Amino acid sequence: MTDAASKQKKPDPCSFVIFGVTGDLAHRLVIPALYNLAATDLLPDKFCIVGIARKAMPNEALRDSLMKGLREFATRPVDDAIAKRLLECVTCIAADPKDPASFDRMREQLERLEANRATGGNRLFYLATPPGAFAPIARELGRTELLKEDGGAWRRLIVEKPFGTDLESAKALNNELLKIVDEHQIYRIDHYLGKETVQNILVLRFANGMFEPIWNRNHIDHVQITVDEKLGVGHRGSFYDATGALRDMVPNHLFQLLSLVAMEPPIRFDAHSVRSEKADVLAAIQTQSETEALRNSVRGQYQGGKIGDAEIEDYRTTEDVKPDSTTETYVALKLTIDNWRWAGVPFYLRTGKALGVKRTEVAIKFKQAPFAMFRDTPVDRLSQNYLVISVEPTEGITLQFNTKVPGPVISIDGVEMKFRYKDYFKAEPSTGYETLIYDCMIGDNILFQRADSVEAGWQAVQPFLDAWKKAGAKGLETYKAGSEGPACGDELLRRDGRSWRKLG
Ligand code: BG6
């Protein structure tokens, strides 16, 4: 997130090298994001896109396939002239980390191309591959010195999620990468940070004087973070069954939301200060014992059902999912943050697939008014004060408070004050990746994850992974596709005398 002025500036000339260019991510998100940047004139004037495939492919074939993807996934109407200009920049080069000589050949081709396009040697490598390929590719980029910053040129590496599968593997990947490049060259991407509403959490908290004084344990009862999805696992069975809802969503997307809501004010709005505060608050999440982890978590797996008109099959009968799988497709956790601001304030997190409603939000529940002045009136139970930051599908902020219902007797009802982005701002829909890719091109890593944050995130979820592994199927509940998730999800809050905000 840079200031408006620097947002206007065009990035330096560079080459944009995509590993995994034939895959889903490149077609669905990366190229549509580059298209959006091209359409707003935010790509460098001297620019080339290099698609790395394991086997050589004619440029035309790759361009056609990317064009098809663009037509399907673009977030705005595609202007043929802009799309053509963008895709003419695409060259396909073959390289496979299993064949080191192919990286030497790729280096020669890339350097020739860079000389032709006058990119000045600035390079951005985007690892849009399955995670198992991150380290082998980075090792080859290191060996061939393609990532070495010399002669004034910058070299950057975007690494997709999932970054590791647990604390140990995340540390190993960080160590491996840091042997090859400096931390300032690594851009660990989490597309949640590209979402406007997520970035707005910082602005809401720190550009307004009225929230921060009450943003603490004295006034906040608890925080709920929800990322509910309607989609089932679809064709991602093989990835998902080895991953599960916790690894797929919590240490990355949900923790981005948590850290922005819970961090201390940074001393400056720069990458170092903001990322340090985020890392600190993640490190302050209490590490639970395995017994506590079992008590403070629930997991579920969906069974067949209907969502709207769509029939969703049983998770266990999904392509590439084991028929006796114990992988969770729903998880809810209770976490606490051990610092002065948040001591005693639970953070409840939940996320699941194949649920009845798609919704991403952070709901901050404030404490009840301290004095029950209306006890003897017809209203003795006030409704709850929530501040809700809605990320998807609604983008906005809602404040719920109590008001008097007009009439002769005192009657109180909960009402809402609503801010909706679409009512105030006209923004073209985006993939969320364009901000991140643009920021990487201008060298601003404020919206990317630093090594310590990633490790702190895994540290916090590791006890759940360990406890569930030992428990196997014990404790795994089922829920019907299209429902609100397993009943045990409600129990996690009910035993604390609380409840989830209802699905809207
Ligand atoms: C991805 C997960 O990182 O995020 C998917 O791998 C998930 O399983 C997706 O569906 C959710 O992103 P969004 O932007 O739709 O909330």
Side-chain angles (χ1 to χ4, degrees):
M1 203 184 324
T2 48
D3 61 47
S6 66
K7 274 284 184 212
Q8 306 302 320
K9 117 180 166 200
K10 281 203 179 201
D12 296 335
C14 67
S15 44
F16 189 93
V17 185
I18 311 174
F19 282 87
V21 73
T22 53
D24 177 65
L25 181 69
H27 284 71
R28 202 164 40 86
L29 290 161
V30 180
I31 294 293
L34 287 174
Y35 174 83
N36 287 347
L37 289 174
T40 45
D41 203 19
L42 282 174
L43 284 183
D45 293 327
K46 294 172 183 155
F47 182 59
C48 65
I49 302 173
V50 176
I52 306 286
R54 268 179 301 177
K55 292 209 175 71
M57 184 177 182
N59 289 340
E60 272 320 309
L62 178 59
R63 290 174 188 166
D64 287 349
S65 153
L66 294 174
M67 180 58 119
K68 220 169 129 222
L70 181 59
R71 292 210 188 283
E72 187 174 349
F73 299 112
T75 56
R76 61 178 80 198
V78 175
D79 177 318
D80 283 342
I82 298 175
K84 198 160 167 265
R85 246 195 334 272
L86 177 73
L87 294 177
E88 269 165 6
C89 299
V90 175
T91 305
C92 187
I93 299 183
D96 181 346
K98 290 205 188 97
D99 170 17
S102 68
F103 269 71
D104 296 308
R105 288 194 296 276
M106 186 261 276
R107 180 182 172 135
E108 286 167 22
Q109 283 173 271
L110 182 59
E111 284 175 347
R112 270 201 304 278
L113 195 66
E114 289 175 337
N116 278 341
R117 300 283 169 106
T119 58
N122 298 317
R123 289 178 199 140
L124 192 166
F125 293 97
Y126 195 129
L127 304 187
T129 62
F134 297 164
I137 293 174
R139 273 195 290 267
E140 279 309 300
L141 292 175
R143 183 187 63 75
T144 47
E145 298 195 341
L146 278 158
L147 275 166
K148 190 168 167 198
E149 296 197 309
D150 54 15
W154 52 256
R155 308 276 152 84
R156 295 176 190 143
L157 184 68
I158 298 190
V159 188
E160 264 295 332
K161 76 170 266 282
F163 196 95
T165 52
D166 56 12
L167 179 58
E168 200 186 322
S169 58
K171 278 187 174 168
L173 183 56
N174 273 331
N175 289 340
E176 182 95 48
L177 295 180
L178 288 166
K179 280 188 216 147
I180 301 161
V181 277
D182 275 354
E183 177 62 37
H184 79 268
Q185 294 174 269
I186 309 177
Y187 289 69
R188 297 174 194 79
I189 206 164
D190 182 317
H191 77 277
Y192 265 52
L193 286 176
K195 293 179 193 271
E196 288 290 346
T197 31
V198 174
Q199 294 173 29
N200 190 42
I201 297 174
L202 279 189
V203 178
L204 174 81
R205 287 188 60 195
F206 302 128
N208 296 295
M210 64 202 190
F211 296 114
E212 228 18 52
I214 54 170
W215 210 263
N216 55 49
R217 66 193 161 97
N218 297 327
H219 301 278
I220 293 179
D221 178 71
H222 72 276
V223 177
Q224 298 183 7
I225 301 180
T226 301
V227 182
D228 285 347
E229 296 186 87
K230 278 178 158 177
L231 289 179
V233 167
H235 299 298
R236 298 168 75 214
S238 127
F239 160 77
Y240 198 87
D241 207 36
T243 304
L246 179 67
R247 287 188 171 96
D248 188 36
M249 300 294 286
V250 177
N252 32 68
H253 305 329
L254 275 84
F255 279 5
Q256 290 304 335
L257 298 171
L258 180 144
S259 56
L260 291 170
V261 167
M263 68 193 266
E264 293 301 314
I267 50 165
R268 265 183 295 279
F269 190 60
D270 61 25
H272 174 75
S273 314
V274 171
R275 299 197 312 170
S276 298
E277 293 301 345
K278 286 176 66 185
D280 278 357
V281 77
L282 289 177
I285 297 176
Q286 193 179 77
T287 309
Q288 309 199 7
S289 68
E290 286 181 24
T291 315
E292 288 166 333
L294 285 179
R295 181 173 156 71
N296 291 325
S297 67
V298 300
R299 54 196 172 120
Q301 191 182 72
Y302 66 82
Q303 292 181 320
K306 242 184 152 184
I307 305 183
D309 291 337
E311 288 285 351
I312 302 266
E313 64 176 322
D314 252 37
Y315 174 70
R316 287 186 179 182
T317 59
T318 308
E319 175 194 342
D320 296 331
V321 167
K322 288 198 288 300
D324 58 350
S325 168
T326 55
T327 298
E328 78 289 352
T329 59
Y330 174 99
V331 56
L333 305 178
K334 176 183 173 184
L335 301 176
T336 45
I337 296 177
D338 280 341
N339 65 18
W340 277 61
R341 184 188 288 267
W342 295 115
V345 179
F347 281 68
Y348 299 101
L349 277 58
R350 63 176 162 170
T351 181
K353 297 241 181 250
L355 298 169
V357 171
K358 172 160 176 70
R359 179 175 62 163
T360 301
E361 68 169 40
V362 179
I364 292 134
K365 163 90 181 5
F366 290 91
K367 291 190 169 167
Q368 296 283 33
F371 164 51
M373 191 165 82
F374 300 104
R375 190 174 292 136
D376 298 327
T377 67
V379 208
D380 54 0
R381 286 183 60 87
L382 300 182
S383 81
Q384 327 220 335
N385 290 149
Y386 272 110
L387 179 73
V388 183
I389 301 165
S390 305
V391 176
E392 267 184 302
T394 310
E395 295 185 315
I397 293 167
T398 303
L399 184 64
Q400 292 183 347
F401 57 97
N402 291 298
T403 195
K404 179 181 173 303
V405 178
V409 289
I410 288 280
S411 168
I412 298 180
D413 203 358
V415 293
E416 292 186 338
M417 229 154 61
K418 289 184 180 168
F419 153 70
R420 296 288 172 261
Y421 267 82
K422 65 175 170 42
D423 298 338
Y424 283 80
F425 306 108
K426 196 174 162 302
E428 291 279 359
S430 63
T431 64
Y433 273 71
E434 39 289 277
T435 314
L436 300 171
I437 290 175
Y438 174 85
D439 280 1
C440 182
M441 288 197 282
I442 62 164
D444 182 352
N445 52 15
I446 196 167
L447 293 178
F448 292 84
Q449 301 224 76
R450 215 167 55 186
D452 51 351
S453 273
V454 172
E455 290 177 17
W458 281 115
Q459 166 92 35
V461 300
Q462 191 63 47
F464 300 99
L465 294 173
D466 294 340
W468 293 354
K469 191 165 172 200
K470 284 189 195 144
K474 199 163 158 248
L476 178 74
E477 288 205 13
T478 52
Y479 62 98
K480 219 171 151 40
S483 69
E484 292 189 14
C488 53
D490 295 337
E491 190 45 40
L492 188 69
L493 274 72
R494 195 175 306 124
R495 65 169 200 230
D496 293 346
R498 301 184 172 107
S499 59
W500 294 109
R501 252 172 53 83
K502 281 276 142 227
L503 291 176

